[in-house]
Amino acid sequence: MSKILIDGKEFDLPAEYTLLQACEAAGAEIPRFCYHERLSIAGNCRMCLVEVAGSPKPVASCAWNVRDCRPGPNGELPSVKTKTPMVKKAREGVMEFLLINHPLDCPICDQGGECDLQDQAMGYGVDTSRFAENKRAVEDKYLGALVKTSMNRCIQCTRCVRFAAEVCGVPEMGLTGRGEDVEITTYLESALTSELQGNLVDICPVGALTSKPYAFAARPWELQKTQSIDVMDAVGSAIRIDTRGREVMRILPRINEDVNEEWISDKTRHVVDGLRAQRLDRPFIREGGKLRAASWSEAFAAIAAKLNRIDGKRIGAITGDLAAVEEMFALKQLMASFGSANVATQYGGFDAKAGRASYIFNPTIAGIEQADALLIVGSNPRKEAAVLNARIRKRWRTGALKIGVVGEKADLTYGYDHIGAGMESLGDIASGKHSFAKILKDAKNPIVLVGASSPSAFAAAAKLAADIGAIKDSWNGFGVLHSAASQVGALDIGFVPGEGGMNAQQMLAFGTLDVLFSLGADEVKYPDGTFVVYIGTHGDRGAHRADVILPGAAYTEKSGIFVNTEGRVQIADRANFPPGDAREDWAILRALSEALTKKLPYDSQAQLRQAIFKAVPHLLRVDQIERGDSGAIKALASSSAADKAPFKSAVEDYYLTNPIARASAVMAECSRLASGQALNAAE
């Protein structure tokens, strides 16, 4: 810690702080454009100038550390001033330079109302300019389907360049030219390839980079803002949903240091148009091979007529990726009332009985920053959890993390040792034949990350984690990376086959079931001859095969409990209402149970949640992680399951993983661009 005077008051602050951080810790507001706390220092906008005792001119506070300040000739404490006439004049001069070439198009700029340049110009701008020459004109650049450019507005702060290189790990942007001819560009003007490129819009301090799908759609002061949770993957990123009337206009990130910091993935941000397209807004019944619109009572009667003459053991239920805990709990109870233990998620392979530690990401997402060795088994974090992958890259860039991969070889945005493709390579590490085994054993906080799509590797990975000392009192390094938002919640409430029950693969085999309830399960192939009741939001694969369709609510249209891959309990709040006759999924199941004379014992969501909390108490503790017993991992390690097939990622096309994404024209365009780039790379 170092003592320093800031605006005449003494403070004791860390020596590694920049003067900008020190001044803000002291309560002084420092304007900035190029500085961002999660990016490297550039020091090229000069807006953060302060006066330092002994310096003949103002200094850039973002590029000057507290430790660099020298005491006075008589031992006086280093002194920094932020409000002197010298500082004000210097900042006004910088602002005048920034506005020399900036166009006067605030009324039509999408950044209006959220623009740092507007805000700072209010404090440091002047009403006249001494610049009489013509403004510089810069050609707009093509960056792909998500980011719109208006490069006349660019002030060359280079935040976008540093973000692309440092956080995304895809250094596709840079500066060309010198002096007045400097331009931000992608060099070859090809589409950006990062899954985090939408964050460029958030970090751009002016309107040079804006959201292409959201262009000219709304002004920020028109929108109703709702805090919620993302369900496009299992990370559970904190988001803000902005709505106008009944329509979701955009989705933005919220800061959550333990989960997503302040980033969200492109799918999270730009899936908005998929919430409106191809929606199911009324019940349907299949008659004569064709679906016809029906009333709720007709749909319930058709289901009841089918179920009344069927043995409960011939009934099953499968849930999809986007289901909340409430509807899964209600569906499980409805199945139990028929005497059926046939319940499962569309991605099977998990045994909840082994214990919670066997299926969550035990090191936690924030814990990645303490890891010094990481073995990725059967997973592609860049596709399955882009924000978590950025956290891995952040730790890797410090030089303190060694990474090995067993599975598909892919560009993960960081360097790694590709060990092999399947169980044989994992066995080489376990037996010590591969050099990465020593790295894991010597590590203080090693992590063995297993992809949820590789259940055959769970036992071997758990045994490896135990053998290398990754599981101890102060650290649990065994983690399962899920790609489905509903998976951990389903396992927590026991939405798995009961005694004598069938798993998803068995239920989907021909002739095993007479009636199958599908709670938004669209990634499976339904068998012929089975009566399918589909509860979902979009006219996707499940609806195409269904005999009865019951329209549900999307994640923005209901309040629901989700549990992310690290076991953190989260609540997604309702931002708008479902279209037409669609209803919240738990309410559909409650009404259906009454029509089937199997009435569920709750009449409101509050009563339903009380039943859930009574059955699974840790779900009551929102934003907390219930630690799993490490004994579960040892039990998992003793189980025997082996498959010599190469490991594969759960996600083939990052942009089209669920019904909402497949209904989105923006995601379809991103998928087309990505597949074209992949082909070019292969050639």
Side-chain angles (χ1 to χ4, degrees):
M1 304 293 277
S2 301
K3 292 188 185 297
I4 187 172
L5 289 175
I6 298 177
D7 290 332
K9 296 180 181 178
E10 184 179 320
F11 294 92
D12 198 8
L13 297 168
E16 63 272 14
Y17 267 24
T18 63
L19 291 186
L20 189 150
Q21 291 172 311
C23 291
E24 295 213 324
E29 186 175 340
I30 306 294
R32 85 293 298 270
F33 293 113
C34 68
Y35 175 81
H36 193 284
E37 53 270 20
R38 302 189 197 278
L39 304 176
S40 60
I41 302 297
N44 56 359
C45 80
R46 317 312 284 182
M47 194 66 204
C48 62
L49 295 173
V50 296
E51 185 178 344
V52 176
S55 175
K57 58 182 182 179
V59 302
S61 59
C62 69
W64 192 297
N65 284 61
V66 170
R67 67 163 62 93
D68 298 328
C69 295
R70 295 290 177 259
N74 299 316
E76 300 96 335
L77 289 177
S79 175
V80 177
K81 295 178 181 178
T82 67
K83 300 174 183 176
T84 63
M86 174 187 181
V87 170
K88 187 173 186 298
K89 184 178 179 182
R91 292 176 182 172
E92 287 176 351
V94 170
M95 179 59 68
E96 188 176 356
F97 272 115
L98 290 176
L99 295 178
I100 277 175
N101 286 306
H102 198 79
L104 298 175
D105 60 355
C106 295
I108 64 159
C109 178
D110 271 321
Q111 199 82 344
E114 299 172 315
C115 177
D116 291 349
L117 187 61
Q118 279 184 335
D119 296 340
Q120 303 303 341
M122 286 294 292
Y124 301 101
V126 293
D127 59 356
T128 59
S129 174
R130 290 171 284 179
F131 190 77
E133 289 77 11
N134 292 328
K135 289 182 181 288
R136 181 185 64 161
V138 183
E139 186 178 344
D140 291 341
K141 307 298 187 295
Y142 173 74
L143 299 183
L146 304 181
V147 181
K148 178 175 179 283
T149 61
S150 298
M151 301 313 290
N152 284 338
R153 302 171 186 155
C154 181
I155 60 171
Q156 288 85 43
C157 70
T158 69
R159 277 190 184 183
C160 55
V161 176
R162 287 173 285 146
F163 177 82
E166 296 166 15
V167 178
C168 298
V170 186
E172 296 172 319
M173 300 186 73
L175 284 163
T176 61
R178 297 183 67 187
E180 192 184 55
D181 296 324
V182 162
E183 293 185 25
I184 300 283
T185 178
T186 55
Y187 304 116
L188 300 178
E189 295 210 16
S190 58
L192 298 175
T193 59
S194 172
E195 295 78 16
L196 300 170
Q197 62 182 276
N199 295 289
L200 291 169
V201 175
D202 291 339
I203 65 170
C204 181
V206 294
L209 303 178
T210 55
S211 173
K212 189 175 283 189
Y214 180 68
F216 312 123
R219 286 300 193 184
W221 52 84
E222 301 175 328
L223 305 176
Q224 183 74 31
K225 300 165 179 63
T226 306
Q227 295 188 356
S228 191
I229 298 298
D230 170 52
V231 299
M232 291 296 110
D233 54 33
V235 174
S237 301
I239 60 173
R240 192 187 84 194
I241 303 171
D242 288 359
T243 56
R244 185 172 61 188
R246 295 176 65 100
E247 188 175 358
V248 175
M249 300 303 296
R250 64 177 181 178
I251 294 174
L252 297 177
R254 286 188 295 122
I255 295 176
N256 187 331
E257 298 292 351
D258 293 331
V259 181
N260 60 304
E261 298 182 293
E262 62 182 87
W263 319 123
I264 54 173
S265 70
D266 292 339
K267 187 163 52 177
T268 300
R269 184 186 300 266
H270 291 293
V271 80
V272 171
D273 64 319
L275 292 166
R276 300 187 286 265
Q278 301 181 25
R279 287 301 301 269
L280 300 172
D281 59 358
R282 66 190 71 180
F284 287 87
I285 299 174
R286 190 176 296 277
E287 290 181 353
K290 294 184 178 181
L291 289 169
R292 71 164 178 87
S295 66
W296 280 103
S297 56
E298 284 181 297
F300 288 166
I303 297 169
K306 187 72 177 179
L307 288 176
N308 284 341
R309 57 180 188 271
I310 290 176
D311 179 14
K313 293 182 179 178
R314 301 278 296 177
I315 303 171
I318 295 180
T319 185
D321 292 358
L322 310 181
V325 168
E326 288 90 343
E327 51 254 35
M328 291 189 289
F329 187 84
L331 183 56
K332 182 187 175 187
Q333 287 198 327
L334 182 61
M335 290 296 101
S337 68
F338 282 100
S340 172
N342 305 324
V343 295
T345 59
Q346 63 184 8
Y347 299 119
F350 299 95
D351 183 7
K353 296 174 185 175
R356 198 164 197 255
S358 68
Y359 60 79
I360 66 172
F361 192 75
N362 294 285
T364 74
I365 296 170
I368 291 171
E369 296 191 31
Q370 277 75 54
D372 45 4
L374 169 64
L375 179 66
I376 299 173
V377 180
S379 176
N380 183 335
R382 182 174 176 183
K383 287 184 177 181
E384 296 169 26
V387 174
L388 182 143
N389 194 63
R391 185 83 74 146
I392 296 175
R393 175 175 168 77
K394 179 182 177 182
R395 178 60 174 169
W396 172 80
R397 288 186 69 237
T398 67
L401 181 64
K402 304 293 183 185
I403 303 172
V405 172
V406 177
E408 294 176 318
K409 195 169 185 178
D411 179 7
L412 299 180
T413 73
Y414 41 78
Y416 61 84
D417 184 358
H418 187 248
I419 297 162
M423 284 295 295
E424 187 176 340
S425 301
L426 194 58
D428 288 343
I429 298 176
S431 62
K433 292 180 181 177
H434 196 279
S435 58
F436 200 78
K438 187 176 188 309
I439 293 174
L440 287 171
K441 287 182 179 178
D442 293 344
K444 184 180 178 182
N445 295 324
I447 294 178
V448 178
L449 182 157
V450 191
S453 61
S454 305
S456 61
F458 286 2
K463 186 176 186 306
L464 176 62
D467 291 345
I468 64 174
I471 302 166
K472 46 198 173 188
D473 293 339
S474 59
W475 179 259
N476 188 335
F478 177 78
V480 178
L481 180 58
H482 294 275
S483 57
S486 63
Q487 187 71 62
V488 176
L491 295 169
D492 276 353
I493 63 171
F495 200 91
V496 292
E499 189 173 347
M502 302 181 197
N503 60 29
Q505 189 175 4
Q506 292 167 331
M507 282 190 274
L508 294 168
F510 178 77
T512 56
L513 291 181
D514 292 325
V515 176
L516 178 62
F517 285 85
S518 169
L519 190 58
D522 289 275
E523 319 305 321
V524 297
K525 185 177 180 181
Y526 294 97
D528 294 331
T530 301
F531 187 85
V532 177
V533 179
Y534 178 77
I535 305 171
T537 59
H538 286 72
D540 205 74
R541 300 167 187 169
H544 290 172
R545 170 60 184 82
D547 295 283
V548 176
I549 296 173
L550 305 178
Y555 71 104
T556 61
E557 300 159 358
K558 62 187 176 185
S559 176
I561 298 172
F562 291 88
V563 187
N564 77 348
T565 192
E566 60 181 349
R568 184 183 301 274
V569 181
Q570 301 173 304
I571 291 185
D573 284 332
R574 182 171 63 191
N576 64 330
F577 292 91
D581 291 334
R583 297 291 182 267
E584 293 186 36
D585 302 61
W586 75 266
I588 294 172
L589 291 164
R590 165 63 181 78
L592 176 61
S593 70
E594 193 165 1
L596 299 175
T597 66
K598 304 283 187 182
K599 185 177 177 181
L600 295 173
Y602 28 79
D603 299 320
S604 68
Q605 189 177 54
Q607 292 177 354
L608 169 56
R609 284 182 174 172
Q610 286 301 318
I612 293 171
F613 298 152
K614 186 176 180 181
V616 190
H618 75 258
L619 293 178
L620 178 62
R621 296 186 280 278
V622 177
D623 204 35
Q624 295 183 34
I625 300 173
E626 180 74 11
R627 299 291 181 184
D629 181 6
S630 57
I633 301 172
K634 294 173 183 175
L636 181 64
S638 64
S639 63
S640 58
D643 185 355
K644 293 187 177 180
F647 299 138
K648 282 192 173 183
S649 169
V651 178
E652 291 184 8
D653 190 332
Y654 164 77
Y655 294 103
L656 304 176
T657 55
N658 59 60
I660 301 176
R662 285 191 289 270
S664 167
V666 176
M667 292 296 99
E669 176 65 9
C670 290
S671 174
R672 185 188 67 79
L673 289 171
S675 61
Q677 288 158 347
L679 287 173
N680 291 338
E683 291 172 358

PDB file of all heavy atoms in Angstrom, residues 4 8 25 40 75 78 93 185 240 299 308 354 410 486 580 582 606 626 654 660:
ATOM      1  N   ILE A   4      -0.970   8.503  -0.696  1.00  0.00           N
ATOM      2  CA  ILE A   4      -1.010   9.478  -1.781  1.00  0.00           C
ATOM      3  C   ILE A   4      -2.087  10.509  -1.488  1.00  0.00           C
ATOM      4  O   ILE A   4      -3.110  10.186  -0.860  1.00  0.00           O
ATOM      5  CB  ILE A   4      -1.268   8.756  -3.131  1.00  0.00           C
ATOM      6  CG1 ILE A   4      -1.137   9.736  -4.300  1.00  0.00           C
ATOM      7  CG2 ILE A   4      -2.609   8.056  -3.148  1.00  0.00           C
ATOM      8  CD1 ILE A   4      -1.181   9.060  -5.665  1.00  0.00           C
ATOM      9  N   GLY A   8      -6.093  16.806  -2.315  1.00  0.00           N
ATOM     10  CA  GLY A   8      -5.818  17.326  -0.979  1.00  0.00           C
ATOM     11  C   GLY A   8      -6.125  16.378   0.157  1.00  0.00           C
ATOM     12  O   GLY A   8      -5.820  16.680   1.311  1.00  0.00           O
ATOM     13  N   ALA A  25     -11.201   5.298  -6.623  1.00  0.00           N
ATOM     14  CA  ALA A  25     -11.322   4.759  -5.268  1.00  0.00           C
ATOM     15  C   ALA A  25     -11.482   5.888  -4.256  1.00  0.00           C
ATOM     16  O   ALA A  25     -12.111   5.710  -3.204  1.00  0.00           O
ATOM     17  CB  ALA A  25     -10.100   3.908  -4.931  1.00  0.00           C
ATOM     18  N   SER A  40      -6.096  -4.274 -21.798  1.00  0.00           N
ATOM     19  CA  SER A  40      -4.767  -3.712 -21.562  1.00  0.00           C
ATOM     20  C   SER A  40      -4.803  -2.191 -21.726  1.00  0.00           C
ATOM     21  O   SER A  40      -5.730  -1.635 -22.311  1.00  0.00           O
ATOM     22  CB  SER A  40      -3.752  -4.317 -22.540  1.00  0.00           C
ATOM     23  OG  SER A  40      -4.145  -4.042 -23.870  1.00  0.00           O
ATOM     24  N   GLY A  75       9.977  15.589   1.154  1.00  0.00           N
ATOM     25  CA  GLY A  75       9.327  14.377   1.650  1.00  0.00           C
ATOM     26  C   GLY A  75       7.815  14.441   1.651  1.00  0.00           C
ATOM     27  O   GLY A  75       7.152  13.582   2.244  1.00  0.00           O
ATOM     28  N   PRO A  78       3.144  12.149  -2.496  1.00  0.00           N
ATOM     29  CA  PRO A  78       2.780  12.393  -3.897  1.00  0.00           C
ATOM     30  C   PRO A  78       1.375  12.980  -3.970  1.00  0.00           C
ATOM     31  O   PRO A  78       0.480  12.564  -3.220  1.00  0.00           O
ATOM     32  CB  PRO A  78       2.833  10.991  -4.525  1.00  0.00           C
ATOM     33  CG  PRO A  78       3.719  10.197  -3.629  1.00  0.00           C
ATOM     34  CD  PRO A  78       3.524  10.738  -2.253  1.00  0.00           C
ATOM     35  N   GLY A  93      -9.545  20.635 -24.221  1.00  0.00           N
ATOM     36  CA  GLY A  93      -8.742  20.600 -25.445  1.00  0.00           C
ATOM     37  C   GLY A  93      -8.814  19.244 -26.120  1.00  0.00           C
ATOM     38  O   GLY A  93      -8.929  19.153 -27.354  1.00  0.00           O
ATOM     39  N   THR A 185      -9.980  -1.566 -38.924  1.00  0.00           N
ATOM     40  CA  THR A 185     -10.453  -2.438 -39.995  1.00  0.00           C
ATOM     41  C   THR A 185     -10.189  -3.894 -39.643  1.00  0.00           C
ATOM     42  O   THR A 185      -9.455  -4.205 -38.701  1.00  0.00           O
ATOM     43  CB  THR A 185      -9.739  -2.098 -41.320  1.00  0.00           C
ATOM     44  OG1 THR A 185     -10.193  -2.986 -42.344  1.00  0.00           O
ATOM     45  CG2 THR A 185      -8.230  -2.218 -41.185  1.00  0.00           C
ATOM     46  N   ARG A 240     -29.929  -8.489 -19.137  1.00  0.00           N
ATOM     47  CA  ARG A 240     -31.024  -7.538 -18.992  1.00  0.00           C
ATOM     48  C   ARG A 240     -31.862  -7.600 -20.252  1.00  0.00           C
ATOM     49  O   ARG A 240     -31.337  -7.454 -21.364  1.00  0.00           O
ATOM     50  CB  ARG A 240     -30.480  -6.122 -18.795  1.00  0.00           C
ATOM     51  CG  ARG A 240     -31.529  -5.115 -18.346  1.00  0.00           C
ATOM     52  CD  ARG A 240     -30.960  -3.720 -18.348  1.00  0.00           C
ATOM     53  NE  ARG A 240     -31.028  -3.103 -19.677  1.00  0.00           N
ATOM     54  CZ  ARG A 240     -30.361  -2.004 -20.022  1.00  0.00           C
ATOM     55  NH1 ARG A 240     -29.545  -1.430 -19.168  1.00  0.00           N
ATOM     56  NH2 ARG A 240     -30.487  -1.491 -21.227  1.00  0.00           N
ATOM     57  N   ALA A 299     -57.896 -30.098 -26.683  1.00  0.00           N
ATOM     58  CA  ALA A 299     -56.569 -30.710 -26.605  1.00  0.00           C
ATOM     59  C   ALA A 299     -56.459 -31.602 -25.378  1.00  0.00           C
ATOM     60  O   ALA A 299     -55.947 -32.735 -25.456  1.00  0.00           O
ATOM     61  CB  ALA A 299     -55.502 -29.620 -26.563  1.00  0.00           C
ATOM     62  N   ASN A 308     -56.511 -42.742 -20.881  1.00  0.00           N
ATOM     63  CA  ASN A 308     -57.442 -43.497 -20.035  1.00  0.00           C
ATOM     64  C   ASN A 308     -57.346 -44.994 -20.242  1.00  0.00           C
ATOM     65  O   ASN A 308     -57.702 -45.773 -19.355  1.00  0.00           O
ATOM     66  CB  ASN A 308     -58.883 -43.027 -20.290  1.00  0.00           C
ATOM     67  CG  ASN A 308     -59.146 -41.689 -19.620  1.00  0.00           C
ATOM     68  OD1 ASN A 308     -58.422 -41.299 -18.707  1.00  0.00           O
ATOM     69  ND2 ASN A 308     -60.181 -40.986 -20.087  1.00  0.00           N
ATOM     70  N   ALA A 354     -25.560 -40.770  -7.731  1.00  0.00           N
ATOM     71  CA  ALA A 354     -24.155 -40.764  -7.318  1.00  0.00           C
ATOM     72  C   ALA A 354     -23.845 -39.569  -6.418  1.00  0.00           C
ATOM     73  O   ALA A 354     -22.937 -39.619  -5.598  1.00  0.00           O
ATOM     74  CB  ALA A 354     -23.245 -40.753  -8.539  1.00  0.00           C
ATOM     75  N   ALA A 410      -9.664 -28.533 -32.183  1.00  0.00           N
ATOM     76  CA  ALA A 410     -10.394 -27.350 -32.634  1.00  0.00           C
ATOM     77  C   ALA A 410      -9.656 -26.097 -32.183  1.00  0.00           C
ATOM     78  O   ALA A 410      -8.804 -26.145 -31.297  1.00  0.00           O
ATOM     79  CB  ALA A 410     -11.818 -27.368 -32.073  1.00  0.00           C
ATOM     80  N   SER A 486     -31.169 -26.585 -18.704  1.00  0.00           N
ATOM     81  CA  SER A 486     -32.094 -27.316 -17.824  1.00  0.00           C
ATOM     82  C   SER A 486     -31.456 -28.515 -17.132  1.00  0.00           C
ATOM     83  O   SER A 486     -32.024 -29.067 -16.187  1.00  0.00           O
ATOM     84  CB  SER A 486     -33.287 -27.811 -18.645  1.00  0.00           C
ATOM     85  OG  SER A 486     -32.854 -28.731 -19.641  1.00  0.00           O
ATOM     86  N   GLY A 580     -50.787 -14.987 -27.943  1.00  0.00           N
ATOM     87  CA  GLY A 580     -52.037 -15.715 -28.140  1.00  0.00           C
ATOM     88  C   GLY A 580     -52.513 -16.466 -26.921  1.00  0.00           C
ATOM     89  O   GLY A 580     -52.572 -15.938 -25.807  1.00  0.00           O
ATOM     90  N   ALA A 582     -50.989 -19.089 -25.643  1.00  0.00           N
ATOM     91  CA  ALA A 582     -49.886 -19.788 -24.968  1.00  0.00           C
ATOM     92  C   ALA A 582     -49.886 -19.460 -23.483  1.00  0.00           C
ATOM     93  O   ALA A 582     -50.266 -18.365 -23.057  1.00  0.00           O
ATOM     94  CB  ALA A 582     -48.559 -19.385 -25.596  1.00  0.00           C
ATOM     95  N   ALA A 606     -46.218 -19.878  -6.562  1.00  0.00           N
ATOM     96  CA  ALA A 606     -45.655 -19.795  -5.211  1.00  0.00           C
ATOM     97  C   ALA A 606     -45.823 -21.115  -4.472  1.00  0.00           C
ATOM     98  O   ALA A 606     -44.899 -21.593  -3.795  1.00  0.00           O
ATOM     99  CB  ALA A 606     -46.322 -18.660  -4.442  1.00  0.00           C
ATOM    100  N   GLU A 626     -24.618 -24.930  -3.891  1.00  0.00           N
ATOM    101  CA  GLU A 626     -24.600 -26.004  -2.900  1.00  0.00           C
ATOM    102  C   GLU A 626     -23.463 -26.958  -3.267  1.00  0.00           C
ATOM    103  O   GLU A 626     -23.501 -27.632  -4.305  1.00  0.00           O
ATOM    104  CB  GLU A 626     -25.942 -26.745  -2.905  1.00  0.00           C
ATOM    105  CG  GLU A 626     -26.039 -27.877  -1.909  1.00  0.00           C
ATOM    106  CD  GLU A 626     -26.197 -27.406  -0.471  1.00  0.00           C
ATOM    107  OE1 GLU A 626     -26.449 -26.198  -0.264  1.00  0.00           O
ATOM    108  OE2 GLU A 626     -26.071 -28.241   0.444  1.00  0.00           O
ATOM    109  N   TYR A 654     -22.890 -24.009 -33.456  1.00  0.00           N
ATOM    110  CA  TYR A 654     -23.052 -23.160 -32.282  1.00  0.00           C
ATOM    111  C   TYR A 654     -24.293 -22.283 -32.346  1.00  0.00           C
ATOM    112  O   TYR A 654     -24.963 -22.054 -31.345  1.00  0.00           O
ATOM    113  CB  TYR A 654     -21.803 -22.286 -32.119  1.00  0.00           C
ATOM    114  CG  TYR A 654     -21.993 -21.115 -31.183  1.00  0.00           C
ATOM    115  CD1 TYR A 654     -21.984 -21.299 -29.805  1.00  0.00           C
ATOM    116  CD2 TYR A 654     -22.205 -19.828 -31.680  1.00  0.00           C
ATOM    117  CE1 TYR A 654     -22.174 -20.227 -28.945  1.00  0.00           C
ATOM    118  CE2 TYR A 654     -22.391 -18.760 -30.830  1.00  0.00           C
ATOM    119  CZ  TYR A 654     -22.379 -18.965 -29.462  1.00  0.00           C
ATOM    120  OH  TYR A 654     -22.580 -17.912 -28.618  1.00  0.00           O
ATOM    121  N   ILE A 660     -35.448 -21.738 -30.307  1.00  0.00           N
ATOM    122  CA  ILE A 660     -35.458 -20.278 -30.430  1.00  0.00           C
ATOM    123  C   ILE A 660     -34.378 -19.835 -31.413  1.00  0.00           C
ATOM    124  O   ILE A 660     -34.604 -18.983 -32.279  1.00  0.00           O
ATOM    125  CB  ILE A 660     -35.247 -19.616 -29.052  1.00  0.00           C
ATOM    126  CG1 ILE A 660     -36.347 -20.041 -28.078  1.00  0.00           C
ATOM    127  CG2 ILE A 660     -35.239 -18.108 -29.176  1.00  0.00           C
ATOM    128  CD1 ILE A 660     -36.156 -19.516 -26.660  1.00  0.00           C
TER     129      ILE A 660
END
